Amino acid sequence: MAMPEATVADTLGRRLRDLRISVTDRCQFRCTYCMPREVFGRDFAFLPRAQLLTFEELARVTRIFADLGVRKLRLTGGEPLLRRDMDKLIAMLACIGGIEDIAMTTNGALLAQKAEALAAAGLRRVTVSLDALDDEVFMAMNDAGFPVARVLEAIDAAAAAGLAPVKVNMVVRRGVNEESILPMAEHFRGTGHVLRFIEYMDVGTTNGWRLDDVVPAGEIIALVGGQWPLDPVDPAYSGEVASRYRYRDGAGEIGVIASVTQPFCRGCTRARLSADGKLYTCLFAAAGHDLRGPIRSGATDQQVRDQIAAIWTRRADRYSEQRTSQTRRTPQPKPKVEMSRIGG
Ligand code: SAM
């Protein structure tokens, strides 16, 4: 159904177009750059179930976001497939007027057995995270003993279920998995899957983040392009997060997400909803805005809509741009990002 154009724009003229929904704050991996075991150990207090938005609440909020202009959804976490019956949620979201695209970012651990049901429910695309092809390197990064082969099976299952082209996210850390850049490129060339290299970001939980740990996107492109020549490709849509490159020999394309060296705040049309119903207008926003409270205490759709519109209209975030321009001059206060709103 055609929806009227969005009317809500922030202080920099950025429209609200995308919503990343975290459905859980839990994950079975302990990726060292994301949910390191020292922080997310046995005693870590994850959200009790009653604090998560229910499927009905998620569908209601999404309907309101769609009314404000959101067209694309990405389901994430934590690990979204740890939440039971995700196909049922997807079916509920897929029939909301205005929603044109539903994607999911997953570590792939539970994807192979669920891909068909997810696709049948209305999931259109999937991004699978995989940081290396070498088990030793990958297991050291996921810190859960999870083998590469299972993620590769999940990617194949997703493609077979029609969730193609599958995007593959690889976070690159200097001295940890940079040796995996070329093997990963070689493996996914010619498969139709799109490998995306992500600059390692400071998400405030690893304590050890240093600019020196980041392999800049320019260096990655030079490395891959030195082996298999590349041409830049225009963005598929305005505000696209990854810069795209095509292999000159026709073996497909890759992307780089240069959040650190070339931040893309200017084109950011994304809102993030945490698993407990807080709205964040930036990955690095210091605080979220509680939507669950009003929803559970009887607010009408119009009241929730007005609240979201007011938050978006006031939005002025351009954290990554400011941080990049200041990093070399003055040490910056560390951001504190809850994993439950990362969602690549
Ligand atoms: N559990 C799911 C997964 O593994 O894809 C979804 C959540 S995960 C937080 C979403 C994406 O964020 C993954 O592709 C992950 O690699 C990426 N990510 C997490 N921490 C990051 C960091 N410090 N820098 C860059 N990307 C990061």
Side-chain angles (χ1 to χ4, degrees), residues 26-29 31-35 75-81 104-108 127-131 168-173 196 198-206 209 257 259-260 283 338-344:
R26 291 164 201 257
C27 187
Q28 67 280 63
F29 286 16
C31 297
T32 50
Y33 53 80
C34 186
M35 293 179 67
L75 303 170
T76 181
E79 169 49 41
L81 292 178
M104 178 184 285
T105 306
T106 169
N107 59 28
T127 299
V128 180
S129 304
L130 177 64
D131 298 323
V168 179
N169 274 359
M170 169 180 176
V171 176
V172 184
R173 267 182 96 167
R196 294 145 24 115
I198 307 184
E199 287 180 349
Y200 167 47
M201 292 185 297
D202 184 1
V203 291
T205 48
T206 56
W209 187 92
I257 302 182
S259 348
V260 179
L283 175 58
E338 285 172 35
M339 280 316 101
S340 123
R341 62 190 150 100
I342 269 209

Side-chain angles (χ1 to χ4, degrees), residues 4-8 16-18 64-72:
E5 261 314 285
T7 50
V8 57
L16 173 55
R17 304 295 283 180
D18 314 77
I64 296 169
F65 272 102
D67 191 40
L68 284 165
V70 163
R71 296 291 170 265
K72 292 170 134 190

Side-chain angles (χ1 to χ4, degrees), residues 10-29:
D10 72 6
T11 61
L12 299 174
R14 297 170 296 189
R15 303 228 164 241
L16 173 55
R17 304 295 283 180
D18 314 77
L19 180 62
R20 300 199 172 195
I21 302 176
S22 174
V23 294
T24 177
D25 58 340
R26 291 164 201 257
C27 187
Q28 67 280 63
F29 286 16

Side-chain angles (χ1 to χ4, degrees), residues 17-340:
R17 304 295 283 180
D18 314 77
L19 180 62
R20 300 199 172 195
I21 302 176
S22 174
V23 294
T24 177
D25 58 340
R26 291 164 201 257
C27 187
Q28 67 280 63
F29 286 16
R30 285 293 174 271
C31 297
T32 50
Y33 53 80
C34 186
M35 293 179 67
R37 215 169 267 286
E38 311 85 85
V39 180
F40 297 87
R42 259 177 208 288
D43 299 333
F44 186 82
F46 287 100
L47 292 168
R49 196 177 169 77
Q51 289 192 23
L52 302 182
L53 291 189
T54 63
F55 284 0
E56 288 69 25
E57 289 167 338
L58 285 169
R60 180 178 173 209
V61 177
T62 302
R63 214 172 295 118
I64 296 169
F65 272 102
D67 191 40
L68 284 165
V70 163
R71 296 291 170 265
K72 292 170 134 190
L73 303 177
R74 178 168 294 277
L75 303 170
T76 181
E79 169 49 41
L81 292 178
L82 281 183
R83 184 122 180 214
R84 238 178 289 154
D85 298 328
M86 280 300 287
D87 53 323
K88 296 201 175 110
L89 174 64
I90 288 165
M92 290 163 78
L93 301 177
C95 60
I96 293 175
I99 297 301
E100 295 163 1
D101 188 34
I102 306 180
M104 178 184 285
T105 306
T106 169
N107 59 28
L110 298 169
L111 180 60
Q113 73 249 43
K114 299 191 178 191
E116 271 191 28
L118 296 169
L123 187 69
R124 294 266 301 271
R125 299 178 300 121
V126 75
T127 299
V128 180
S129 304
L130 177 64
D131 298 323
L133 281 178
D134 177 299
D135 261 334
E136 203 177 318
V137 177
F138 183 52
M139 288 186 192
M141 288 181 87
N142 68 51
D143 200 14
F146 201 81
V148 172
R150 295 264 310 273
V151 184
L152 295 177
E153 277 164 33
I155 292 171
D156 288 345
L163 299 168
V166 177
K167 289 182 183 159
V168 179
N169 274 359
M170 169 180 176
V171 176
V172 184
R173 267 182 96 167
R174 175 86 70 203
V176 176
N177 66 337
E178 61 184 309
E179 301 290 320
S180 304
I181 294 172
L182 287 178
M184 285 281 284
E186 182 166 33
H187 181 86
F188 287 108
R189 271 168 51 78
T191 60
H193 309 317
V194 179
L195 175 60
R196 294 145 24 115
F197 300 98
I198 307 184
E199 287 180 349
Y200 167 47
M201 292 185 297
D202 184 1
V203 291
T205 48
T206 56
N207 299 322
W209 187 92
R210 296 172 311 140
L211 195 55
D212 291 351
D213 295 332
V214 178
V215 182
E219 191 178 320
I220 296 171
I221 289 303
L223 182 66
V224 178
Q227 190 77 21
W228 303 283
L230 292 165
D231 290 320
V233 181
D234 286 338
Y237 51 90
S238 87
E240 190 172 27
V241 175
S243 305
R244 301 165 59 202
Y245 293 83
R246 187 172 292 141
Y247 289 113
R248 214 171 278 165
D249 64 4
E253 72 175 67
I254 59 168
V256 281
I257 302 182
S259 348
V260 179
T261 62
Q262 296 153 41
F264 31 81
C265 305
R266 292 284 149 162
C268 179
T269 54
R270 277 174 295 285
R272 293 167 193 273
L273 188 63
S274 67
D276 57 348
K278 292 201 186 77
L279 169 61
Y280 291 88
T281 54
C282 172
L283 175 58
F284 297 107
H289 305 265
D290 180 38
L291 299 183
R292 191 190 61 201
I295 285 171
R296 290 193 180 170
S297 52
T300 63
D301 284 1
Q302 186 61 45
Q303 285 167 332
V304 178
R305 185 189 195 280
D306 291 347
Q307 186 189 355
I308 297 170
I311 293 164
W312 192 265
T313 313
R314 284 198 304 271
R315 178 187 192 239
D317 309 278
R318 44 191 203 91
Y319 176 86
S320 297
E321 279 180 3
Q322 287 167 332
R323 183 174 166 87
T324 298
S325 65
Q326 289 169 7
T327 296
R328 286 182 187 84
R329 279 187 270 130
T330 24
Q332 293 297 295
K334 277 186 117 27
K336 174 78 179 73
V337 174
E338 285 172 35
M339 280 316 101
S340 123

